Amino acid sequence: KNETEVIVFFAGHGLPSPDGKKLYLLPQNGDQSILEYSAISKSDLFRMINQYNPKSVKVFLDACYSGESRQGEQLIASRGIRVVASDDTPDNFTVFSASQSTEVSLSFDGAKHGIFSYYLMRGLEGEADQNKDREITNGELLAYIEKEVNARAVELGRTQLPSLVGKKGEILNRY
């Protein structure tokens, strides 16, 4: 309690509930037609982690809630996707998301990762350290991944802007 630092990384599909009010992380074996039973509710996951009062939680989500696959195919053709913004993120959480709610989180085929995952890893290895003090703040990482991810997405004819929920000045990584 108040000592543990939790890191969560998820790369895959994200889908909203039919009414757009709940967001789900869809595991490889999840079934889109029964999200509430076969997927992971983002708010339930956050609540479950937070019940143990960790010192901090860092969450990296290379998933989108647009309803499209990385190849541009509709995951659920029978319903329109409408995501409602939510503020259910606890204060001790820092959450980096691969894209805005209506954007697709694209893949970087040459690296066999999502674009977000690829530049997230490069940024944490030191490329995001703008002032070269060997510390990477949330704000430095966000600036780096916004620039690099969107540039790569534009090359593919799309836009993809990562987002941050958390304190920009907080140190995320020392190397």
Side-chain angles (χ1 to χ4, degrees):
K1 181 177 177 177
N2 296 319
E3 292 179 23
T4 302
E5 296 183 26
V6 177
I7 298 171
V8 176
F9 175 83
F10 178 84
H13 293 300
L15 289 173
S17 60
D19 63 6
K21 292 182 180 177
K22 279 189 103 170
L23 301 177
Y24 291 91
L25 302 174
L26 188 65
Q28 190 274 333
N29 63 346
D31 184 337
Q32 303 155 14
S33 66
I34 52 171
L35 280 177
E36 64 275 7
Y37 301 108
S38 67
I40 303 162
S41 159
K42 183 181 115 316
S43 58
D44 290 349
L45 175 65
F46 286 11
R47 193 172 24 263
M48 181 190 71
I49 292 169
N50 207 38
Q51 77 181 345
Y52 295 103
N53 299 309
K55 178 181 176 182
S56 68
V57 180
K58 310 294 190 260
V59 181
F60 303 95
L61 299 174
D62 193 350
C64 64
Y65 299 101
S66 67
E68 284 186 45
S69 73
R70 291 180 193 257
Q71 292 74 34
E73 301 161 352
Q74 278 298 120
L75 294 172
I76 299 178
S78 64
R79 69 172 148 106
I81 303 297
R82 182 180 58 84
V83 176
V84 177
S86 113
D87 60 356
D88 62 349
T89 303
D91 290 340
N92 59 335
F93 278 54
T94 299
V95 181
F96 284 90
S97 297
S99 59
Q100 305 296 313
S101 63
T102 58
E103 297 171 342
V104 175
S105 295
L106 301 165
S107 63
F108 187 174
D109 294 334
K112 298 186 179 174
H113 288 290
I115 294 172
F116 173 80
S117 291
Y118 179 78
Y119 287 108
L120 170 69
M121 289 180 254
R122 292 191 62 161
L124 290 172
E125 289 173 345
E127 288 190 25
D129 187 6
Q130 294 173 350
N131 60 5
K132 305 301 179 205
D133 63 355
R134 301 191 60 79
E135 294 179 339
I136 299 169
T137 65
N138 291 332
E140 284 178 316
L141 182 60
L142 179 64
Y144 173 78
I145 59 176
E146 278 180 333
K147 178 183 170 214
E148 299 297 334
V149 167
N150 196 49
R152 180 64 66 164
V154 167
E155 289 175 9
L156 299 171
R158 306 292 288 259
T159 58
Q160 181 178 336
L161 287 171
S163 65
L164 165 69
V165 173
K167 299 173 182 95
K168 286 188 176 183
E170 186 175 282
I171 295 170
L172 177 64
N173 187 33
R174 289 182 174 92
Y175 64 100

